[in-house]
Amino acid sequence: MTWLEMLAVLIAGIGAGAINAVVGSGTLITFPVLLAFGIPPVTANVSNTIGLVPGTISGAYGYRRELAGQRARLLQLGTASLLGGIVGAVLLLALPEKAFKGIVPVLIIMALVLVVVQPRLAKWVKERRANGDSAVPEHGGPILFAAVFGTGIYGGYFGAAQGVLLLGLLGVFVHDDLQRLNGVKNVLATIVNGVSAIIFIAIAEISWPAVAMIAIGSIIGGQLGAKVGRKMSPTVLRGVIVVVGTIAVVRLLMT
């Protein structure tokens, strides 16, 4: 990578970190940039996952107060995320790159749909909470465990909009304050990204310059997103994600 390309990846990392703090789906910013600079799709996905780990850790740490009293929930759902992340990472490395090129455009389109419908999903979750329906297990029960496991597989394979999906699931199946659930979401995403990164570092081909730039950028972006991102129009942010994600789909289909 040239210095200009590294600078562009750094800027993309900042954008991804900020968007992850506000909406989620930062992968849809960094992944297309890596593709544009000629990094093979699987290597780009692996490098992107590793690079975003520091940002997810920072986000989880930022919600440490909301995590108080949720140890049992984190242990239960964290196990599902850990197992799912391992399966997803192994599938990414075991399946041929041709399969990745065929599957990921579909996953990106699904992620874009999630980003677009997220406001309606959040509204539905809020209305469901207002009804006071408590006929579900405290930590979501086996259905949520299975759903989080499936989300972990998705996140380990290609994690765009993983956070949006997790927060939607938690909001539906667990009766608790949404900010506390957001803290849980951050921890679960960190577990998936972290275990995937460990596997990738051990056996995958990695672009370390890209990892370094994304890591630095995501940490900076996470802090900026927490302070400034909430003042920006969510509609504008979602529009940016949809445009960049569409470019990624086109790029993958053309390679």
Side-chain angles (χ1 to χ4, degrees):
M1 294 179 67
T2 67
W3 286 105
L4 285 177
E5 289 173 344
M6 290 176 66
L7 177 60
V9 173
L10 174 65
I11 294 171
I14 293 173
I19 287 174
N20 278 338
V22 180
V23 180
S25 308
T27 290
L28 294 178
I29 299 297
T30 46
F31 182 69
V33 172
L34 297 182
L35 289 180
F37 294 145
I39 298 177
V42 173
T43 301
N45 186 46
V46 165
S47 304
N48 181 69
T49 297
I50 298 171
L52 288 176
V53 167
T56 58
I57 293 175
S58 177
Y61 180 77
Y63 272 82
R64 60 192 180 280
R65 286 181 295 181
E66 285 79 6
L67 294 172
Q70 299 199 77
R71 182 177 180 181
R73 181 176 295 161
L74 290 172
L75 286 174
Q76 178 175 313
L77 298 180
T79 300
S81 288
L82 179 69
L83 296 174
I86 292 172
V87 173
V90 170
L91 285 175
L92 175 67
L93 299 177
L95 295 175
E97 185 168 315
K98 184 179 293 186
F100 180 84
K101 290 182 180 179
I103 294 170
V104 167
V106 177
L107 295 180
I108 293 177
I109 291 171
M110 290 172 56
L112 294 177
V113 171
L114 279 173
V115 170
V116 171
V117 304
Q118 191 271 338
R120 293 187 179 182
L121 179 62
K123 181 180 178 181
W124 180 74
V125 169
K126 184 177 180 181
E127 291 174 350
R128 188 175 184 275
R129 290 175 175 287
N131 292 333
D133 180 14
S134 58
V136 294
E138 181 182 0
H139 303 313
I143 296 178
L144 179 59
F145 186 93
V148 170
F149 172 73
T151 303
I153 295 176
Y154 169 79
Y157 191 86
F158 185 76
Q162 175 187 192
V164 174
L165 184 55
L166 280 171
L167 192 56
L169 289 169
L170 290 168
V172 170
F173 286 100
V174 180
H175 290 275
D176 205 336
D177 178 75
L178 202 57
Q179 288 301 323
R180 281 168 55 82
L181 295 182
N182 198 37
V184 174
K185 177 265 291 182
N186 287 337
V187 172
L188 298 182
T190 299
I191 291 172
V192 172
N193 290 347
V195 70
S196 301
I198 291 171
I199 294 173
F200 295 155
I201 290 171
I203 57 178
E205 182 179 348
I206 300 165
S207 173
W208 286 109
V211 169
M213 294 300 98
I214 292 174
I216 295 170
S218 68
I219 293 173
I220 297 171
Q223 296 300 313
L224 291 175
K227 294 180 180 179
V228 180
R230 292 189 179 99
K231 299 178 182 179
M232 297 176 64
S233 167
T235 302
V236 172
L237 287 174
R238 290 189 183 91
V240 171
I241 292 172
V242 170
V243 170
V244 174
T246 302
I247 292 173
V249 171
V250 173
R251 173 73 181 182
L252 279 168
L253 293 176
M254 291 177 62
T255 57

